[in-house]
Amino acid sequence: MPLNELAPLPPDLAAIQAEIEGIARSYGLDFFPTIFELVDADRLNEIAAKGGFPTRYPHWRFGMEYDKLSKQYHYGLGKIYELVINNDPCYAYLMRSNMAVDQRLVMAHVYGHCDFFKQNAWFAKTSRKMMDETANHGSRIRRYMDEFGVEPVEEFIDACLSLDDLIDIHSPHIRRREDCSRYDFDADAPKKRKNPAQRFAAKGYMDAFINPRGAAEERPDEEEAAPKNPERPERDVLLFLLEQAPLAAWQHDVLAILREEAYYFAPQGQTKIMNEGWASYWHSTIMTRHGLTPSDFICYCDHHSGTMASAPDRLNPYKLGIELFRDIEDRWNRGAHGRAYDDCDDARERREWDTKEGAGREKIFEVRKVHNDLTFIDTFLTLDFVREQRLFKFGWNESAEQYEIESRAFPKVKQQLLASLTNAGRPIIEVVDGNYKNRAELYLEHRFAGAELDLREAQDTLRALHRLWKRPVRLATVLEESRAVVSYDGKKCEIQHGDPADAAPIEDLISNE
């Protein structure tokens, strides 16, 4: 059903929405208009498999994701309670089979997410019309499939999706290059050229596509040395490929589409703990104070506790987020922060500290506006909180062949959390040279920070890069505490330590792991 023809909610659910929305606004939540759609379980699983966008481009991985979600639901292993899209207006989906108390909980949770999407600084640069844009993306990719065939387009999408982590997640907020902006047209670009009338304004990465090199352009002096390409290490690998890779017009457009979607989803990876914690804080507040009848209480507690449940082998972002927001609110209500509190060494005095500051609610609204998960944990995770929540650092025990608790020491727990959140948990890889040894080979470097690359994933990444670059690709990294270069020439993938003559097939190293 087209989005502009969504069926209105039944009267009972429409009344619940009006009630929950009014309560949410009374607490100071500020969000875009929110449209709820009532769907059955299969339809909700289908939408969730596409990332929340019903009209997204076709691809086999969406079918696999749908199959997994459908089996989980039908076998009673799990179900989707809420799904909400960062858009203006926000779109959210309700499962038709849910009980009324679940619908109230979901709506309260959704309004927390909608407030976070609108107010958090890390979402400020995302498109607020992404529902329309993904529909447009889907139409363009379907047209390419009709023209060039499903398999060639799908195989190219496979390669691009293998690389969609290789973006610069901070670039929307930091202008790293003077000649290119990811969101704006470079209006001054024509003025920088001697023949501006023959060029059209374009996004930097689209310039080569819209303004191909031709005889009309003045060639640089032959004696002038070719500039380094790129001038400085480029963290946005997809942008470099858009500007430099030998792509057909349709491939260029598909890569641009997938890159744009990767940047749209990036803030969700950067704020998972905060976003889920904020939404859980507000559904808990609204439901326990306004949304429950005596007959609903046990059902609500059962579902809420299931969402907050923790397991020994994983960190629950819902639980960590809501508890840290509650801790911040409590500390700022009691004035338990600042120099005087930090310098206090008396455990009893710290527990009973209360200056009646009463600024807790104001503080958590400020926190949800400016922080992401990394700065949230770095700024507000305390020794007392780690002890109260029984957090620990874990690691792999080779002899027992399982993960075990390594330490409960606060610095180590915090360090492991921060390491897992840096760059949204992805390795930092930069393009260093697009013409390595003057052979048009692509040379990248992994900014090693203690965690080695997974060799199987590195191999797949290099193959995908070669698919786009069409020349040998090299990746410098650290393996077994020494510098190594992983390379792929289109036929074989090798690892070399120091002397190029010592290169060995990557399969040998993988098989020995």
Side-chain angles (χ1 to χ4, degrees):
M1 180 182 295
L3 293 174
N4 59 357
E5 299 179 9
L6 294 179
L9 290 177
D12 57 333
L13 291 181
I16 293 175
Q17 179 187 358
E19 177 191 356
I20 298 297
E21 180 175 339
I23 295 170
R25 291 194 184 278
S26 72
Y27 277 107
L29 299 184
D30 182 13
F31 36 79
F32 297 120
T34 305
I35 299 172
F36 287 92
E37 182 181 0
L38 190 63
V39 297
D40 60 26
D42 285 338
R43 178 61 173 161
L44 183 56
N45 289 332
E46 178 187 342
I47 295 170
K50 294 183 177 181
F53 297 96
T55 55
R56 207 168 178 194
Y57 61 86
H59 192 258
W60 59 265
R61 70 182 178 119
F62 299 142
M64 290 185 64
E65 183 65 19
Y66 168 77
D67 188 57
K68 182 183 77 171
L69 294 173
S70 181
K71 287 179 178 178
Q72 285 180 347
Y73 176 76
H74 289 292
Y75 294 157
L77 301 176
K79 72 174 183 177
I80 301 169
Y81 274 96
E82 53 87 19
L83 181 61
V84 56
I85 305 304
N86 168 31
N87 200 76
D88 182 10
C90 286
Y91 289 93
Y93 303 93
L94 303 174
M95 188 179 292
R96 194 182 304 276
S97 60
N98 281 345
M99 295 182 295
V101 63
D102 289 333
Q103 306 292 27
R104 298 174 74 89
L105 185 155
V106 168
M107 288 182 181
H109 193 89
V110 161
Y111 281 119
H113 278 309
C114 294
D115 171 85
F116 197 89
F117 289 147
K118 182 178 180 181
Q119 300 299 326
N120 184 263
W122 297 89
F123 284 88
K125 299 293 185 179
T126 58
S127 170
R128 304 300 190 176
K129 298 297 179 185
M130 201 62 183
M131 192 66 78
D132 296 332
E133 290 191 23
T134 54
N136 180 41
H137 293 168
S139 296
R140 284 151 60 188
I141 290 179
R142 287 183 182 90
R143 188 167 65 247
Y144 295 139
M145 287 181 170
D146 291 341
E147 184 174 354
F148 301 103
V150 173
E151 285 192 12
V153 175
E154 201 163 62
E155 289 175 0
F156 184 77
I157 291 176
D158 290 343
C160 295
L161 290 176
S162 297
L163 306 172
D164 66 355
D165 283 349
L166 302 183
I167 57 175
D168 183 358
I169 60 175
H170 299 107
S171 65
H173 310 277
I174 302 173
R175 188 178 179 88
R176 298 193 190 276
R177 299 166 58 172
E178 293 299 323
D179 63 336
C180 176
S181 173
R182 195 172 70 81
Y183 290 94
D184 303 323
F185 286 108
D186 185 6
D188 295 329
K191 301 177 184 177
K192 300 173 185 175
R193 305 179 185 275
K194 294 184 179 181
N195 200 9
Q198 298 182 15
R199 302 193 61 82
F200 299 93
K203 291 184 180 181
Y205 65 78
M206 292 291 289
D207 185 71
F209 177 60
I210 296 176
N211 301 297
R213 297 176 182 175
E217 292 190 7
E218 186 169 325
R219 299 180 181 275
D221 295 337
E222 293 183 1
E223 298 179 358
E224 185 178 346
K228 185 179 179 182
N229 183 28
E231 293 183 4
R232 59 182 66 87
E234 176 59 71
R235 190 171 296 183
D236 191 339
V237 178
L238 295 190
L239 174 60
F240 183 84
L241 293 172
L242 281 168
E243 294 176 332
Q244 305 290 340
L247 303 174
W250 70 267
Q251 293 175 324
H252 192 280
D253 190 31
V254 169
L255 179 56
I257 286 172
L258 299 182
R259 176 174 174 269
E260 198 68 24
E261 293 190 5
Y263 271 103
Y264 169 82
F265 286 110
Q268 298 183 31
Q270 293 174 273
T271 60
K272 179 69 173 179
I273 295 171
M274 286 189 69
N275 201 345
E276 296 298 353
W278 184 252
S280 299
Y281 174 94
W282 285 109
H283 90 230
S284 175
T285 300
I286 292 172
M287 292 296 289
T288 55
R289 297 185 182 182
H290 308 277
L292 288 176
T293 64
S295 61
D296 294 334
F297 188 77
I298 293 179
C299 181
Y300 164 76
C301 289
D302 177 55
H303 293 168
H304 175 77
S305 61
T307 303
M308 298 298 136
S310 298
D313 59 344
R314 66 181 179 89
L315 186 70
N316 186 338
Y318 294 79
K319 176 66 172 176
L320 179 58
I322 190 175
E323 294 298 347
L324 197 47
F325 272 117
R326 286 172 173 169
D327 183 67
I328 295 167
E329 183 178 31
D330 175 66
R331 287 169 54 204
W332 261 258
N333 278 337
R334 297 185 295 112
H337 60 92
R339 177 64 65 84
Y341 178 78
D342 292 340
D343 290 343
C344 178
D345 295 329
D346 188 294
R348 180 177 178 181
E349 185 178 350
R350 287 172 67 90
R351 284 197 306 270
E352 298 176 354
W353 191 287
D354 191 358
T355 64
K356 309 296 184 182
E357 182 178 341
R361 186 61 58 82
E362 178 184 353
K363 183 63 179 179
I364 62 173
F365 271 88
E366 174 195 317
V367 170
R368 78 88 163 82
K369 188 176 184 66
V370 301
H371 286 276
N372 61 24
D373 285 348
L374 183 66
T375 59
F376 183 57
I377 296 298
D378 190 33
T379 306
F380 298 107
L381 191 76
T382 64
L383 172 61
D384 293 337
F385 181 85
V386 167
R387 287 176 173 172
E388 180 182 343
Q389 298 298 321
R390 299 181 180 181
L391 300 179
F392 55 83
K393 179 182 183 294
F394 65 91
W396 179 256
N397 185 323
E398 290 286 352
S399 59
E401 296 186 346
Q402 64 181 12
Y403 284 99
E404 295 182 350
I405 296 175
E406 285 189 349
S407 174
R408 293 188 182 273
F410 171 65
K412 294 184 178 181
V413 172
K414 186 172 183 178
Q415 181 183 26
Q416 187 175 57
L417 261 176
L418 294 177
S420 69
L421 296 172
T422 300
N423 198 45
R426 304 160 176 165
I428 298 176
I429 295 176
E430 300 173 332
V431 177
V432 177
D433 193 349
N435 187 26
Y436 181 64
K437 291 188 176 180
N438 201 31
R439 296 188 299 214
E441 296 180 3
L442 187 62
Y443 192 91
L444 305 99
E445 185 163 339
H446 170 217
R447 297 302 180 192
F448 183 74
E452 294 186 359
L453 295 176
D454 183 294
L455 290 181
R456 289 182 176 84
E457 294 187 7
Q459 181 177 224
D460 292 340
T461 298
L462 290 180
R463 285 174 173 165
L465 282 168
H466 185 275
R467 171 77 171 78
L468 274 64
W469 191 251
K470 298 180 177 63
R471 292 285 298 158
V473 182
R474 302 173 186 271
L475 173 60
T477 185
V478 173
L479 296 174
E480 299 177 352
E481 300 183 353
S482 66
R483 186 175 176 82
V485 176
V486 187
S487 62
Y488 181 70
D489 62 1
K491 296 180 180 179
K492 60 183 182 298
C493 194
E494 295 182 328
I495 298 178
Q496 116 189 16
H497 292 269
D499 189 349
D502 296 335
I506 193 172
E507 288 79 6
D508 293 348
L509 190 56
I510 292 176
S511 62
N512 292 330
E513 289 184 343

